[in-house]
Amino acid sequence: SKDLTKKEINQIFDEVKNYISENNITENAYHNNKHMIDVFNNSMTLFDEYQKEYELTENDKLYLGLAPLFHDFNHSGGKLKDDENIELALTALKEYLDSTNKSGLYNDIKHIIIATEFPHKDINTDILQKIIRDADTMGGITDDWMSVVKSLGKEYNKTLQEFIPTQIKFLNTVKFNTDYCNGLLANNKESIIKELEKMS
């Protein structure tokens, strides 16, 4: 299908943001609409970073924007295994696309969403899958890392003190797929770990 214009794409993004705020009614402390919007914003940052190098199109941008806005839709907040969470998200995506006459986008978006299953499966990832994986896990190394730690701990029913070692382990072992995120990690890791250790 022909590429949409930037304006048309941004209009769809706005519609979907409204749609999830009205339809994804979740009590989750972390896997909620704020998280999906954060991952959307991270994905767009990384899209801009890699668009030229990988000759990404406006349609790629559309798929990459819609994937994070659905990737944790109806997330169980730890009650189900992640492959089951993904199935719930894909069902919600399909419902939305069918109701807005966009069913043709389903497979391209699904392809990106399935890469977010955690722990990550060892698959050959394309650039859009690499981007969403990094966008999904980079919250712990951005300026917003503190709220990520607090809400993740809460969702896992752990106190901040109990959860801090898990987060430190994450920072010490995480490997991102993009140079952009590995650079961010290299710059921020030590200072974030210092802060976490002070809090523990």
Side-chain angles (χ1 to χ4, degrees):
S1 64
K2 72 172 181 55
D3 270 16
L4 295 161
T5 64
K6 281 191 167 65
K7 191 178 171 204
E8 289 170 321
I9 288 173
N10 286 330
Q11 219 172 334
I12 294 172
F13 289 159
D14 287 342
E15 284 164 17
V16 172
K17 285 174 191 171
N18 286 334
Y19 180 84
I20 66 172
S21 72
E22 287 166 16
N23 294 279
N24 187 42
I25 311 302
T26 163
E27 300 292 313
N28 297 333
Y30 180 76
H31 289 102
N32 52 30
N33 292 328
K34 178 193 183 300
H35 170 67
M36 294 203 292
I37 301 279
D38 287 344
V39 178
F40 166 82
N41 290 330
N42 292 341
S43 295
M44 294 296 97
T45 298
L46 292 169
F47 179 87
D48 291 343
E49 193 72 22
Y50 290 102
Q51 181 172 17
K52 270 205 184 72
E53 187 183 337
Y54 288 90
E55 298 176 352
L56 300 174
T57 64
E58 290 301 310
N59 276 8
D60 289 327
K61 183 178 187 174
L62 178 66
Y63 311 143
L64 182 65
L66 291 178
L69 292 174
F70 281 98
H71 82 288
D72 283 331
F73 202 105
N74 287 333
H75 193 284
S76 69
K79 295 177 194 69
L80 299 172
K81 293 215 300 291
D82 209 37
D83 58 339
E84 298 171 285
N85 290 322
I86 299 272
E87 284 308 314
L88 293 172
L90 292 174
T91 301
L93 169 68
K94 197 168 187 322
E95 275 174 18
Y96 170 77
L97 293 174
D98 289 348
S99 72
T100 54
N101 297 318
K102 297 186 187 71
S103 312
L105 304 178
Y106 178 76
N107 286 331
D108 287 299
I109 302 169
K110 174 185 177 179
H111 170 75
I112 302 171
I113 289 178
I114 56 173
T116 64
E117 186 184 324
F118 201 84
H120 290 152
K121 285 213 167 87
D122 193 11
I123 53 175
N124 277 330
T125 46
D126 62 29
I127 185 60
L128 299 179
Q129 292 174 313
K130 285 184 166 80
I131 285 176
I132 198 170
R133 279 189 175 179
D134 283 6
D136 195 18
T137 49
M138 68 191 265
I141 57 166
T142 59
D143 292 343
D144 194 33
W145 67 266
M146 179 75 79
S147 86
V148 169
V149 173
K150 286 181 174 165
S151 50
L152 257 179
K154 196 170 169 192
E155 190 165 307
Y156 288 123
N157 291 318
K158 287 189 164 28
T159 65
L160 191 56
Q161 274 65 33
E162 289 170 330
F163 186 69
I164 283 170
T166 309
Q167 192 63 16
I168 291 176
K169 187 181 174 206
F170 164 78
L171 291 164
N172 280 322
T173 54
V174 66
K175 292 202 175 26
F176 289 103
N177 300 276
T178 59
D179 294 343
Y180 179 94
C181 285
N182 282 316
L184 207 56
L185 176 67
N187 289 335
N188 298 345
K189 180 173 142 179
E190 278 181 42
S191 63
I192 294 176
I193 289 177
K194 272 207 184 85
E195 287 290 309
L196 286 167
E197 284 172 344
K198 263 190 224 152
M199 288 156 53
S200 58

